[in-house]
Amino acid sequence: MAGLYAFLAFRASGAYCCRQKFNLLKGIGMESKYIVFDGMDGSGKGTQMELLKKKLPEVVFTREPGGTPFAEEIRNLVRDNPLAGQSTPLNNLLLFWAAREECMHNLVMPALKAGKHVFSDRGDSSTFAFQICGEEQGELMDFFMSLRKLVFAENSGRRQPDLYIVFDLPAEVARERALQDASRTKTHFDLRNIGYYERVRDGFQMFAGWWPVEFVDADRTPEEVHNSVMKILATKAILD
Ligand code: TYD
């Protein structure tokens, strides 16, 4: 894993520059915010998204993969079709980016341009943590970076997320929760071993080295976690 980290650090060295440039762009009337919520399966993210939806009716909520009718079709393919489990990490990476491109074009950008905040359940942080780190596919990093630049291209009027909020907890707790969750229809994504979960958790930590991430301790009650999220949103001046 140490070799993978060093390799990814080298490949993503351009990311810091992107972030600096992005910070300079803030303040040009960009009042609406694009926030991604992410975490391992079993992190309690779904419960938190529901609490936020109830509290914040003015926010546009979306999810990845999905959000628009076409992106939901891609979701059915990549998440629910068991054949996806037999496909390659590269193919999955492409499908997740395809769904993201669609959602950016037809949902996220129109909402942001209309002055609304967009809260997304998962984002490119998942692609990095799951497909690159979980699947140990460091050689896909250049490709990830190229797709990221295209899909979030500021010079064509797009934006990248302002903030990622990641629900963090020990890998074994997350995996146990995901397996025990009776309300969840099990997909090929749920059958992963503990090593995979640990790599995904490390992946989110690595992602935070390059893009703006706030971690929330998710090994607490839903109310405590929710209060922490609301505090972050207030501190970052995303909500009053
Ligand atoms: P879902 O049931 O929506 O999970 P959750 O409710 O926990 O968000 O399934 C989405 C699955 O897809 C989840 O296991 C994470 C995975 N995923 C990736 O592997 N890469 C990605 O880029 C995205 C967006 C999701």
PDB file of all heavy atoms in Angstrom, residues 1 107 109 126 146 155 160 200-201 203:
ATOM      1  N   MET A   1       0.838  -1.218   0.000  1.00  0.00           N
ATOM      2  CA  MET A   1       0.000   0.000   0.000  1.00  0.00           C
ATOM      3  C   MET A   1       0.869   1.264   0.000  1.00  0.00           C
ATOM      4  O   MET A   1       0.555   2.243  -0.636  1.00  0.00           O
ATOM      5  CB  MET A   1      -0.920  -0.035   1.224  1.00  0.00           C
ATOM      6  CG  MET A   1      -2.089   0.931   1.146  1.00  0.00           C
ATOM      7  SD  MET A   1      -3.268   0.554  -0.189  1.00  0.00           S
ATOM      8  CE  MET A   1      -4.414   1.900  -0.013  1.00  0.00           C
ATOM      9  N   LEU A 107     -28.031  18.496 -14.038  1.00  0.00           N
ATOM     10  CA  LEU A 107     -28.611  18.765 -12.718  1.00  0.00           C
ATOM     11  C   LEU A 107     -27.757  19.735 -11.882  1.00  0.00           C
ATOM     12  O   LEU A 107     -28.227  20.789 -11.485  1.00  0.00           O
ATOM     13  CB  LEU A 107     -28.811  17.440 -11.966  1.00  0.00           C
ATOM     14  CG  LEU A 107     -29.641  17.506 -10.683  1.00  0.00           C
ATOM     15  CD1 LEU A 107     -30.310  16.174 -10.415  1.00  0.00           C
ATOM     16  CD2 LEU A 107     -28.846  17.917  -9.461  1.00  0.00           C
ATOM     17  N   MET A 109     -24.944  21.757 -12.466  1.00  0.00           N
ATOM     18  CA  MET A 109     -24.645  23.110 -12.958  1.00  0.00           C
ATOM     19  C   MET A 109     -25.900  23.972 -13.092  1.00  0.00           C
ATOM     20  O   MET A 109     -25.892  25.135 -12.665  1.00  0.00           O
ATOM     21  CB  MET A 109     -23.858  23.061 -14.276  1.00  0.00           C
ATOM     22  CG  MET A 109     -22.414  22.594 -14.141  1.00  0.00           C
ATOM     23  SD  MET A 109     -21.471  23.308 -12.756  1.00  0.00           S
ATOM     24  CE  MET A 109     -21.629  25.057 -13.064  1.00  0.00           C
ATOM     25  N   SER A 126     -15.521   9.112  -4.064  1.00  0.00           N
ATOM     26  CA  SER A 126     -15.816   7.671  -4.052  1.00  0.00           C
ATOM     27  C   SER A 126     -15.038   6.950  -5.142  1.00  0.00           C
ATOM     28  O   SER A 126     -14.510   5.865  -4.916  1.00  0.00           O
ATOM     29  CB  SER A 126     -17.316   7.416  -4.299  1.00  0.00           C
ATOM     30  OG  SER A 126     -18.038   7.439  -3.105  1.00  0.00           O
ATOM     31  N   SER A 146      -7.419  13.226 -15.555  1.00  0.00           N
ATOM     32  CA  SER A 146      -7.865  13.805 -16.829  1.00  0.00           C
ATOM     33  C   SER A 146      -9.381  13.945 -16.848  1.00  0.00           C
ATOM     34  O   SER A 146      -9.914  14.990 -17.256  1.00  0.00           O
ATOM     35  CB  SER A 146      -7.455  12.921 -18.004  1.00  0.00           C
ATOM     36  OG  SER A 146      -6.082  12.755 -18.007  1.00  0.00           O
ATOM     37  N   ASN A 155     -12.923  26.273 -17.192  1.00  0.00           N
ATOM     38  CA  ASN A 155     -12.924  27.101 -18.407  1.00  0.00           C
ATOM     39  C   ASN A 155     -14.111  26.816 -19.320  1.00  0.00           C
ATOM     40  O   ASN A 155     -14.331  27.521 -20.283  1.00  0.00           O
ATOM     41  CB  ASN A 155     -11.589  26.994 -19.167  1.00  0.00           C
ATOM     42  CG  ASN A 155     -11.271  25.572 -19.551  1.00  0.00           C
ATOM     43  OD1 ASN A 155     -12.109  24.682 -19.357  1.00  0.00           O
ATOM     44  ND2 ASN A 155     -10.086  25.351 -20.080  1.00  0.00           N
ATOM     45  N   GLN A 160     -15.809  22.502  -9.565  1.00  0.00           N
ATOM     46  CA  GLN A 160     -15.580  21.293  -8.786  1.00  0.00           C
ATOM     47  C   GLN A 160     -16.231  21.487  -7.411  1.00  0.00           C
ATOM     48  O   GLN A 160     -16.567  22.617  -7.050  1.00  0.00           O
ATOM     49  CB  GLN A 160     -14.096  20.988  -8.683  1.00  0.00           C
ATOM     50  CG  GLN A 160     -13.255  22.091  -8.119  1.00  0.00           C
ATOM     51  CD  GLN A 160     -11.781  21.692  -8.049  1.00  0.00           C
ATOM     52  OE1 GLN A 160     -11.450  20.584  -7.661  1.00  0.00           O
ATOM     53  NE2 GLN A 160     -10.911  22.603  -8.429  1.00  0.00           N
ATOM     54  N   VAL A 200     -10.253   1.646   1.230  1.00  0.00           N
ATOM     55  CA  VAL A 200     -11.185   2.735   0.905  1.00  0.00           C
ATOM     56  C   VAL A 200     -11.071   3.842   1.950  1.00  0.00           C
ATOM     57  O   VAL A 200     -10.986   5.032   1.610  1.00  0.00           O
ATOM     58  CB  VAL A 200     -12.640   2.196   0.820  1.00  0.00           C
ATOM     59  CG1 VAL A 200     -13.646   3.338   0.750  1.00  0.00           C
ATOM     60  CG2 VAL A 200     -12.784   1.294  -0.411  1.00  0.00           C
ATOM     61  N   ARG A 201     -10.998   3.441   3.221  1.00  0.00           N
ATOM     62  CA  ARG A 201     -10.871   4.460   4.274  1.00  0.00           C
ATOM     63  C   ARG A 201      -9.579   5.262   4.080  1.00  0.00           C
ATOM     64  O   ARG A 201      -9.580   6.496   4.134  1.00  0.00           O
ATOM     65  CB  ARG A 201     -10.860   3.778   5.647  1.00  0.00           C
ATOM     66  CG  ARG A 201     -10.899   4.788   6.760  1.00  0.00           C
ATOM     67  CD  ARG A 201     -10.766   4.169   8.123  1.00  0.00           C
ATOM     68  NE  ARG A 201     -11.102   5.129   9.160  1.00  0.00           N
ATOM     69  CZ  ARG A 201     -10.757   4.987  10.420  1.00  0.00           C
ATOM     70  NH1 ARG A 201     -10.093   3.925  10.816  1.00  0.00           N
ATOM     71  NH2 ARG A 201     -11.084   5.918  11.312  1.00  0.00           N
ATOM     72  N   GLY A 203      -8.081   5.685   1.354  1.00  0.00           N
ATOM     73  CA  GLY A 203      -8.260   6.451   0.120  1.00  0.00           C
ATOM     74  C   GLY A 203      -8.884   7.815   0.390  1.00  0.00           C
ATOM     75  O   GLY A 203      -8.441   8.827  -0.167  1.00  0.00           O
TER      76      GLY A 203
END
